[in-house]
Amino acid sequence: MSPMLPKLWFKDFSDTSFVIRGENLTPIAFLVGYISQTDKTKAYVHFVGVDPEHRSEGLGKSLYEAFETKVLDLGANHIEAVTSPANTTSLRFHEAIGFMAKDTSGSLVLPTEASGHKDFDGIGEDRVLLSKTIRAQYPIA
Amino acid sequence: MSPMLPKLWFKDFSDTSFVIRGENLTPIAFLVGYISQTDKTKAYVHFVGVDPEHRSEGLGKSLYEAFETKVLDLGANHIEAVTSPANTTSLRFHEAIGFMAKDTSGSLVLPTEASGHKDFDGIGEDRVLLSKTIRAQYPIA
């Protein structure tokens, strides 16, 4: 995955990136995201990785929660991400944590029911476009 | 190069990214860069591509000039980039437009004389770390 993750990224976007460490402080899961430079209301999840030996432990969910809290604080009101239409695990995960998908028709549908945007990231690289509206919870006065 | 260039990047960093178009408005060269989210004084050139049929026409230099002018305006005071130590064309190019390289000892040397930082972007992915100090030219009063 090296081309997707130049080392300098971890520094340049460290305030919106998170790592979870396990035994001996070994990284077992991480998320790299950013606030769009051209639209400060938009946060984008660039990459999430979870150690195969630590799947189904809720680490991905924890990372997204940390990211959501942080970008909300920085002024974003929605989160975007993309995934491959073939990656049903990812689609189910995003659906479970409240993401919707923008269908090719432009309407919002459940991620598991979305069709991929053909060749979105290059020839053969179809993508489902995911988004989640976020907002601060204010107590009723 | 698809993994290095998700489509959404062109949108999220469009204010610090540039394209040069040729006949029929076909893109013949482009640069994607950004201002570091964690250090607003630092601008980073993520990717530069020039159509092989349009090499040696100064397009890369023009793109870097446009980028430098823009990020200076946005408050950056230096530009960083990385390249492979095997890419002598890139090293010579950056040297010609005023970049220096941070050697493994930490000192600044000419890019063509720099040693690569071993495995910087992953196993087998050595990188020369390039930087250029930029500043606005003020007339003497």
Side-chain angles (χ1 to χ4, degrees), chain A residues 102-115:
Chain A
K102 195 195 281 179
D103 218 351
T104 43
S105 67
S107 54
L108 286 178
V109 298
L110 289 172
T112 54
E113 291 168 6
S115 48

Side-chain angles (χ1 to χ4, degrees), chain B residues 27-128:
Chain B
I28 53 175
F30 69 95
L31 179 158
V32 175
Y34 61 72
I35 301 276
S36 171
Q37 192 173 279
T38 51
D39 176 4
K40 307 290 189 196
T41 68
K42 170 191 163 184
Y44 180 70
V45 176
H46 176 64
F47 196 86
V48 180
V50 177
D51 183 330
E53 293 187 13
H54 291 276
R55 296 276 160 85
S56 308
E57 295 176 9
L59 300 183
K61 189 167 182 243
S62 296
L63 288 166
Y64 267 78
E65 283 171 354
F67 180 72
E68 186 171 320
T69 302
K70 181 66 185 184
V71 300
L72 192 57
D73 189 50
L74 291 172
N77 62 20
H78 68 292
I79 299 173
E80 293 186 13
V82 302
T83 199
S84 162
N87 193 343
T88 49
T89 305
S90 170
L91 292 170
R92 275 197 217 105
F93 167 75
H94 284 92
E95 188 162 308
I97 61 171
F99 276 79
M100 294 294 281
K102 196 195 281 177
D103 217 353
T104 43
S105 67
S107 53
L108 286 178
V109 298
L110 290 173
T112 54
E113 291 167 6
S115 48
H117 293 246
K118 194 163 164 51
D119 300 332
F120 188 81
D121 266 334
I123 309 286
E125 301 289 338
D126 299 359
R127 294 287 183 271
V128 173

Side-chain angles (χ1 to χ4, degrees), chain A residues 54-130:
Chain A
H54 291 276
R55 295 277 159 83
S56 306
E57 294 175 9
L59 300 183
K61 189 167 183 244
S62 295
L63 288 167
Y64 267 78
E65 284 171 355
F67 180 72
E68 186 171 319
T69 302
K70 180 67 185 184
V71 299
L72 192 57
D73 188 49
L74 291 173
N77 62 22
H78 68 292
I79 299 173
E80 292 186 13
V82 302
T83 199
S84 160
N87 193 343
T88 50
T89 305
S90 171
L91 292 170
R92 275 199 217 103
F93 167 75
H94 284 93
E95 189 162 307
I97 60 172
F99 276 78
M100 295 292 283
K102 195 195 281 179
D103 218 351
T104 43
S105 67
S107 54
L108 286 178
V109 298
L110 289 172
T112 54
E113 291 168 6
S115 48
H117 293 245
K118 193 163 165 52
D119 299 332
F120 187 80
D121 265 334
I123 309 288
E125 301 291 338
D126 299 359
R127 293 289 183 271
V128 173
L129 310 190
L130 302 158

Side-chain angles (χ1 to χ4, degrees), chain B residues 11 13 50 81 88 93 130 133 137:
Chain B
K11 208 156 116 182
F13 303 107
V50 177
T88 49
F93 167 75
L130 302 159
T133 302
Q137 302 291 324

Side-chain angles (χ1 to χ4, degrees), chain A residues 2 7 9 12 34 42 121, chain B residues 2 7 9 12 34 121:
Chain A
S2 169
K7 184 192 254 183
W9 273 57
D12 291 331
Y34 60 71
K42 170 190 163 184
D121 265 334
Chain B
S2 170
K7 184 192 257 184
W9 273 56
D12 291 331
Y34 61 72
D121 266 334

